[in-house]
Amino acid sequence: MCSCPEFEKTLQYVSPAHGGWGVIRVAALVPESHLLFVCPFACGRHGALGGIINKIKDRVHYLYIDESDIVSGNYENLIPDGVKELFDFLETRPKVLYIFVSCLDDLLGTDHESLNEELSELFPDVHFVTAHMNPFKQDTKIPPAVGLQISIYSMFTENLPKKNQINMIGNNAFVSEDCELYSLMENAGYKICHLGLCKSFDDFMAMQKSNLNLILHPCAKIAAEKMEKNCGIPSMLAFNTYDIEEIESYYHAIEKKLGIKFADFSENKKHAAASIERVKNLVGDYPLVIDYQAVLKPFSLAKVLVQAGFNVKMIFCDGSVSAFEKEKCAWLLEKVPDLQIISALHPDSIKLENKMPESLCIGFSGGYLTKSVHVVDLMEDEGLYGFWGVEKLMEKMEESFTHKTDVNKIIAGAKLIV
């Protein structure tokens, strides 16, 4: 553990509170899709559990391979027959078949482009998409989450006539339609599209007709670049934030990109600021802990709260500080010299000396490590955005402060997949 932005590189500790959606749940967001995992037995167990937990196991099948398939080179030849057998078994043929391969495939170097062409000739009514389940690439330029976003949007290949709509990409859970951005866009004649809002495969493919990609998470940045090249959809970074001025700057940037003018949102801005002040008056100097699994930008949130007078005592991160957070981190270290910045993945985190049961923890991973009795149930900013997102976060903090929480129940309900 470390109280500065420099962290020791070591083996990682994965607590029961660590994890996220997992590749199965994210890929299954595409409507009318099916997933075929081609991998050894051991690799499939993890994904199968993810399918069961998230109630999508009926959309996941496995083609298990053994050592003889790998050594003989027959591995690649098994896939077309496996796909045919799967389609004979299914009552309805999917519009999309993901062929997920494991880390092993990255070493074998399978020619997936040729394989998908062969499969497309056999089944021209199906889109075949290669996806990778390769956690060993976590520290590379294309980690699993980034690779999956590239795979999902690789089906967007046409520069179609554009409609008055924009896409939100990168965030797994779609932003709640209570967010004011929906009404602002609607009043300007536009609608918001998101993978999670698509009811059919045709709805998903219609996202190619959007005028703008709002990138809400960095994992979608490369996918957005490819969409700009292939589909003519420009993009802008709009990572979720609880900084009111930054939210306003996003909205003005959207106006400029689309050549539109939003209705007056000054009241939304005032309500967001008032909600922060209200919760500050409620919690006073009660210690706050912020967890990186709860929000994309924990240091940015910490700065917002410190400036509002909150007593932020601890921030949990994943052993690094993102480039877009370094400035905020440096500001915090200067303004809050006793602030603890801890890697939740360091083995020593399980021996955390400064347990803080009497603290308000934003995020259950930090809540688990501190043994906090006041935990905000939030993962990956799910559903939150804009001024409404600020208000909703404050409501969650208020609720968690006034009622004790059982962090183990929160973890059980989160359906975490590493």
Side-chain angles (χ1 to χ4, degrees):
M1 290 185 291
C2 185
S3 305
C4 65
E6 299 299 325
F7 297 93
E8 178 186 5
K9 296 295 183 182
T10 181
L11 292 175
Q12 294 185 348
Y13 162 67
V14 177
S15 83
H18 177 75
W21 276 47
V23 294
I24 283 183
R25 189 179 175 192
V26 176
L29 284 172
V30 176
E32 301 177 78
S33 64
H34 204 92
L35 288 67
L36 175 64
F37 280 78
V38 183
C39 59
F41 286 94
C43 303
R45 295 190 189 108
H46 184 267
L49 287 172
I52 293 169
I53 291 171
N54 291 289
K55 303 187 188 315
I56 51 175
K57 191 177 184 300
D58 61 329
R59 295 172 60 191
V60 184
H61 280 81
Y62 293 86
L63 174 59
Y64 287 125
I65 58 174
D66 57 27
E67 188 174 354
S68 63
D69 297 321
I70 299 164
V71 174
S72 67
N74 194 43
Y75 158 55
E76 192 171 334
N77 298 326
L78 294 172
I79 297 176
D81 289 339
V83 171
K84 184 178 185 304
E85 183 179 348
L86 172 62
F87 287 173
D88 288 342
F89 169 77
L90 296 175
E91 292 183 5
T92 303
R93 190 175 294 178
K95 295 288 182 67
V96 180
L97 181 67
Y98 289 99
I99 298 178
F100 267 93
V101 292
S102 63
C103 307
L104 175 68
D105 190 85
D106 289 82
L107 303 176
L108 294 176
T110 304
D111 185 353
H112 286 286
E113 186 174 341
S114 296
L115 177 61
N116 288 343
E117 287 179 3
E118 178 184 346
L119 291 169
S120 295
E121 290 178 2
L122 293 171
F123 307 100
D125 56 332
V126 179
H127 290 260
F128 292 93
V129 178
T130 302
H132 293 259
M133 182 177 60
N134 46 7
F136 79 94
K137 284 198 169 185
Q138 190 63 48
D139 296 328
T140 68
K141 291 182 179 179
I142 309 291
V146 173
L148 185 53
Q149 291 291 313
I150 294 172
S151 294
I152 289 172
Y153 293 107
S154 67
M155 289 177 271
F156 290 3
T157 58
E158 298 182 87
N159 192 338
L160 301 174
K162 300 298 182 277
K163 298 173 65 176
N164 284 0
Q165 61 184 41
I166 66 170
N167 299 326
M168 284 184 170
I169 61 173
N171 52 322
N172 294 326
F174 62 86
V175 171
S176 170
E177 292 176 283
D178 291 328
C179 174
E180 72 282 342
L181 184 56
Y182 283 89
S183 59
L184 290 172
M185 294 298 301
E186 185 179 356
N187 289 335
Y190 277 74
K191 78 168 186 175
I192 293 175
C193 302
H194 183 270
L195 179 54
L197 292 170
C198 296
K199 303 300 183 184
S200 67
F201 181 68
D202 288 342
D203 288 345
F204 168 65
M205 294 300 284
M207 290 174 67
Q208 292 179 93
K209 300 177 181 179
S210 294
N211 278 305
L212 179 65
N213 278 324
L214 285 185
I215 305 172
L216 269 61
H217 193 285
C219 69
K221 187 172 182 295
I222 295 177
E225 291 170 356
K226 291 181 179 293
M227 279 191 272
E228 184 159 7
K229 179 180 178 181
N230 297 331
C231 307
I233 306 174
S235 62
M236 63 169 275
L237 299 178
F239 300 160
N240 197 32
T241 181
Y242 301 94
D243 182 326
I244 291 174
E245 299 305 322
E246 192 171 17
I247 294 167
E248 183 173 18
S249 72
Y250 284 167
Y251 288 179
H252 289 317
I254 293 171
E255 289 178 315
K256 186 175 180 180
K257 282 274 189 180
L258 298 177
I260 60 176
K261 181 65 177 176
F262 285 148
D264 179 33
F265 50 76
S266 59
E267 286 301 311
N268 302 94
K269 183 177 177 181
K270 287 178 183 177
H271 289 315
S275 69
I276 294 175
E277 185 177 358
R278 184 190 74 248
V279 176
K280 169 60 184 73
N281 292 335
L282 173 68
V283 305
D285 290 330
Y286 199 75
L288 260 62
V289 178
I290 301 175
D291 170 29
Y292 78 100
Q293 285 196 160
V295 295
L296 173 64
K297 299 167 70 174
F299 296 94
S300 174
L301 174 58
K303 181 180 178 181
V304 168
L305 296 177
V306 167
Q307 288 179 318
F310 287 85
N311 182 22
V312 179
K313 300 294 290 184
M314 189 180 293
I315 299 175
F316 284 99
C317 65
D318 64 353
S320 64
V321 180
S322 301
F324 52 83
E325 285 270 79
K326 287 187 181 295
E327 183 181 336
K328 304 293 194 305
C329 181
W331 184 93
L332 288 164
L333 289 173
E334 179 183 350
K335 302 296 183 182
V336 191
D338 62 341
L339 176 67
Q340 295 185 73
I341 301 175
I342 299 171
S343 171
L345 299 181
H346 194 286
D348 285 349
S349 64
I350 192 63
K351 302 183 294 185
L352 185 66
E353 295 179 0
N354 299 321
K355 304 286 186 188
M356 297 179 64
E358 291 299 326
S359 63
L360 175 57
C361 188
I362 302 173
F364 47 78
S365 178
Y368 176 84
L369 293 170
T370 60
K371 307 304 180 189
S372 172
V373 295
H374 299 286
V375 180
V376 175
D377 185 0
L378 180 63
M379 182 175 71
E380 298 178 357
D381 300 294
E382 284 192 358
L384 305 187
Y385 201 74
F387 301 122
W388 176 86
V390 174
E391 290 188 68
K392 195 64 180 176
L393 176 61
M394 292 301 114
E395 287 178 15
K396 287 176 175 287
M397 290 173 63
E398 187 174 26
E399 173 68 19
S400 300
F401 181 73
T402 54
H403 298 85
K404 289 189 176 182
T405 50
D406 184 340
V407 71
N408 292 319
K409 287 185 178 179
I410 295 175
I411 293 170
K415 303 177 181 179
L416 299 174
I417 301 296
V418 178

